Amino acid sequence: MPGLRRVPAFRTIPFLKPGADTETVVLTDRQREALTHIGTRVRLPARMLIYREDSAAQWVFAVTEGAVKSYRELPSGKRSVVAFLFARDLFGLASNGRYVNSTQAITRVTLYRLPLDALAVLLKHDGDMQFKFLAKVTHELRESQRRAILINRRDAAGRLATFIAWMGERADRAVNGGRVVQMPMTRSDIAGFLGLSLESVSRAAAELERRHLVRFESRHLARIVDTAGLARLVAAL
Amino acid sequence: MPGLRRVPAFRTIPFLKPGADTETVVLTDRQREALTHIGTRVRLPARMLIYREDSAAQWVFAVTEGAVKSYRELPSGKRSVVAFLFARDLFGLASNGRYVNSTQAITRVTLYRLPLDALAVLLKHDGDMQFKFLAKVTHELRESQRRAILINRRDAAGRLATFIAWMGERADRAVNGGRVVQMPMTRSDIAGFLGLSLESVSRAAAELERRHLVRFESRHLARIVDTAGLARLVAAL
DNA sequence: CGATGCATTGATATCGGTCAAAGATGGTGG
DNA sequence: CCACCATCTTTGACCGATATCAATGCATCG
């Protein structure tokens, strides 16, 4: 059954915690199979809008490959980025049947799309799987809180350092022990995520390079030069 | 069975949404009864520490009466307030068996204390109640995201205005249609919640008074003078 | 090889943090 | 009942960090 492995496990987001708190939520084969039956694989090109804030929430998505951003448009026209989503992340948070945020593909992505109603039935039926969903959402709540704390009280360089460290943790460790960090999103996206202006992000990046903590080999590829130094900056709340 | 009504319903937190999104999660009588059996009522005086960050998580709490703050101590010695909790709110978020935040009673409080293990058993057994917990946590995740957005990009007065509006929504509407807002926490707590210094909170309060949007009748009691004007300021992201 | 979006760099103004001191408030004990 | 004390709050002065405005530089894709 080659299709089964296409249903991703739901990994919770490690954030500033190397390994210890990875808490991968792994589904049983039966559960994967059940999800395979109700879901569909979808491939989308970069920049594709996946759904818009306030539109009717029909599906929940799981990222198989690529990167997605979840954001809100503010009245001022600015975009506040709520989350970046990568392989194994779930998204499609809704309230009263409407999506809370808009989501857009950053790179070309492969998603697994689950009809909300069928999923609800499945969860009612399978208490164990529901418990895994609960664990997943609970973990994201923790992360959201933690992020809120970290973002607020920091200088720009500290925020960016934290962000890069976070991206480094998420990245495939395969490559160079996590010292090479892919950053598919734009500076503007990062700014929206960190609550800074894009100019500040740019300046912060320059500062991290000047201090020999990180090297930006290209727009979307950073290399962590001084792991300890970066960790120190991140820890210095 | 007089004891039954002492188990609170789990109300999700309305935030900037007057009524529409109240989404009160109501338990059935059977479910209340089940919770009554495993839980204990606890009364605590103001300022009592309920549990400390990183301590072993044994219980989940539901607020019956009073106000609680959930916060984290930062290495710098500052306190970042993650949430204020009032009647019908749940708290006790844990990770790997340890509490994520510290919590402290702001006023004298009455809590309902549920042993985590017994609760887990109950949830596995009662898929419907588990679903209600899932809904609750999901809602809090939304709120946390929304807060993160609002906090980041705002001037001090705008943040405080948003906070007051939020407190006004939570408050018992009984009193004066929500125009009188109880704020049991200190300025310092508010500062920690909004990511400002306590001086800035004080100045922001003065500004809101100067603009005739709010009157502070005492430290812990605000009256919304110009509802429309305040709403405008809140909406002006 | 433009052209368009994205990124960097610079100059300036503003807002909030910090330090400092004085002013309120509420609780306690004499 | 009042005086005192600890804690919380307000107000002021100053400084620094970041947003904003503006211009230039750099790629990526027709």
Side-chain angles (χ1 to χ4, degrees):
Chain A
M1 280 212 191
L4 287 194
R5 48 178 42 205
R6 289 194 162 147
V7 179
F10 303 124
R11 185 184 64 175
T12 52
I13 310 166
F15 190 46
L16 296 182
K17 285 248 184 157
D21 193 31
T22 307
E23 280 191 17
T24 301
V25 177
V26 181
L27 299 176
T28 65
D29 286 349
R30 285 182 52 80
Q31 291 170 339
R32 280 166 201 266
E33 187 178 6
L35 290 178
T36 314
H37 281 127
I38 66 170
T40 316
R41 254 166 76 85
V42 187
R43 294 199 124 242
L44 299 174
R47 289 157 192 249
M48 174 67 86
L49 188 68
I50 302 170
Y51 55 77
R52 194 183 298 278
E53 182 181 340
D54 288 331
S55 62
Q58 309 181 53
W59 295 294
V60 169
F61 300 85
V63 180
T64 301
E65 199 185 346
V68 170
K69 67 175 167 181
S70 172
Y71 64 93
R72 294 188 63 134
E73 304 272 4
L74 304 180
S76 61
K78 292 185 179 179
R79 293 185 168 189
S80 184
V81 176
V82 173
F84 294 110
L85 305 154
F86 304 96
R88 307 187 144 199
D89 285 330
L90 277 180
F91 66 98
L93 191 65
S95 174
N96 294 325
R98 306 259 152 201
Y99 287 119
V100 174
N101 306 310
S102 302
T103 52
Q104 189 182 10
I106 292 175
T107 62
R108 166 190 299 207
V109 293
T110 308
L111 304 177
Y112 207 82
R113 195 180 67 186
L114 300 161
L116 201 49
D117 47 7
L119 180 63
V121 170
L122 208 63
L123 290 183
K124 296 242 169 177
H125 189 259
D126 183 345
D128 182 60
M129 187 154 75
Q130 187 182 166
F131 195 78
K132 285 166 183 169
F133 268 77
L134 180 59
K136 170 81 180 142
V137 173
T138 303
H139 191 259
E140 287 194 8
L141 177 59
R142 285 198 298 273
E143 293 312 322
S144 179
Q145 288 185 356
R146 195 160 0 189
R147 181 171 90 85
I149 291 173
L150 289 171
I151 290 315
N152 258 325
R153 43 192 69 225
R154 295 194 72 72
D155 56 328
R159 290 193 204 185
L160 183 60
T162 303
F163 179 71
I164 292 171
W166 173 57
M167 289 295 295
E169 287 301 327
R170 304 209 45 130
D172 287 331
R173 290 303 191 80
V175 189
N176 210 333
R179 298 170 76 95
V180 171
V181 183
Q182 297 281 351
M183 309 208 313
M185 68 291 293
T186 67
R187 297 282 187 259
S188 182
D189 288 336
I190 297 172
F193 184 74
L194 296 180
L196 296 169
S197 67
L198 72 167
E199 294 96 328
S200 287
V201 172
S202 195
R203 278 186 252 270
E207 185 179 337
L208 294 182
E209 280 208 312
R210 196 171 44 67
R211 292 165 66 175
H212 303 294
L213 298 172
V214 177
R215 276 237 40 197
F216 294 89
E217 314 211 325
S218 81
R219 265 183 200 180
H220 298 301
L221 189 67
R223 179 183 298 275
I224 298 174
V225 176
D226 180 357
T227 310
L230 188 67
R232 225 176 301 123
L233 181 56
V234 169
L237 283 181
Chain B
M1 283 213 194
L4 288 192
R5 49 178 41 207
R6 289 195 163 147
V7 180
F10 302 125
R11 185 183 64 176
T12 51
I13 311 166
F15 189 46
L16 297 181
K17 285 246 184 160
D21 192 29
T22 308
E23 280 191 17
T24 302
V25 177
V26 181
L27 299 177
T28 66
D29 286 347
R30 284 184 52 81
Q31 291 170 341
R32 279 166 201 266
E33 187 178 6
L35 289 177
T36 314
H37 280 127
I38 67 171
T40 316
R41 255 166 75 85
V42 188
R43 292 201 125 241
L44 299 174
R47 290 157 192 248
M48 173 68 85
L49 188 68
I50 302 170
Y51 56 77
R52 195 182 297 279
E53 181 180 342
D54 289 331
S55 62
Q58 309 182 55
W59 295 294
V60 169
F61 300 85
V63 181
T64 301
E65 200 186 345
V68 171
K69 67 176 166 180
S70 172
Y71 63 94
R72 294 188 63 133
E73 304 272 3
L74 304 181
S76 61
K78 294 186 176 176
R79 293 186 166 187
S80 184
V81 176
V82 173
F84 294 111
L85 304 155
F86 305 96
R88 309 187 142 198
D89 284 330
L90 278 180
F91 67 98
L93 191 64
S95 172
N96 295 324
R98 306 258 151 201
Y99 288 120
V100 174
N101 306 310
S102 301
T103 53
Q104 189 182 10
I106 292 175
T107 61
R108 164 189 300 207
V109 293
T110 309
L111 304 177
Y112 208 81
R113 196 180 67 186
L114 301 160
L116 201 50
D117 47 7
L119 180 63
V121 170
L122 209 64
L123 290 183
K124 295 242 169 179
H125 189 259
D126 184 344
D128 181 60
M129 188 155 74
Q130 187 182 164
F131 196 78
K132 284 164 182 169
F133 268 76
L134 180 58
K136 170 83 179 139
V137 173
T138 302
H139 191 258
E140 288 194 7
L141 178 58
R142 284 199 297 274
E143 292 312 323
S144 179
Q145 288 186 356
R146 200 168 346 197
R147 180 171 91 85
I149 290 173
L150 289 171
I151 292 314
N152 259 325
R153 44 191 67 227
R154 295 197 72 75
D155 55 331
R159 289 192 205 187
L160 182 61
T162 303
F163 178 72
I164 292 170
W166 174 57
M167 289 294 296
E169 287 302 326
R170 307 209 43 131
D172 286 332
R173 291 304 192 79
V175 189
N176 209 334
R179 297 171 75 95
V180 171
V181 183
Q182 298 280 353
M183 310 206 318
M185 68 291 294
T186 67
R187 297 282 187 259
S188 183
D189 288 336
I190 297 173
F193 184 74
L194 296 180
L196 296 169
S197 67
L198 73 166
E199 293 97 329
S200 285
V201 171
S202 194
R203 277 185 253 271
E207 185 178 337
L208 294 182
E209 280 208 310
R210 196 172 43 67
R211 291 166 67 175
H212 304 294
L213 298 172
V214 177
R215 277 237 41 197
F216 294 90
E217 314 211 325
S218 81
R219 267 184 198 177
H220 298 300
L221 189 67
R223 178 183 299 276
I224 298 175
V225 176
D226 180 356
T227 311
L230 188 67
R232 225 176 301 123
L233 181 56
V234 167
L237 284 181

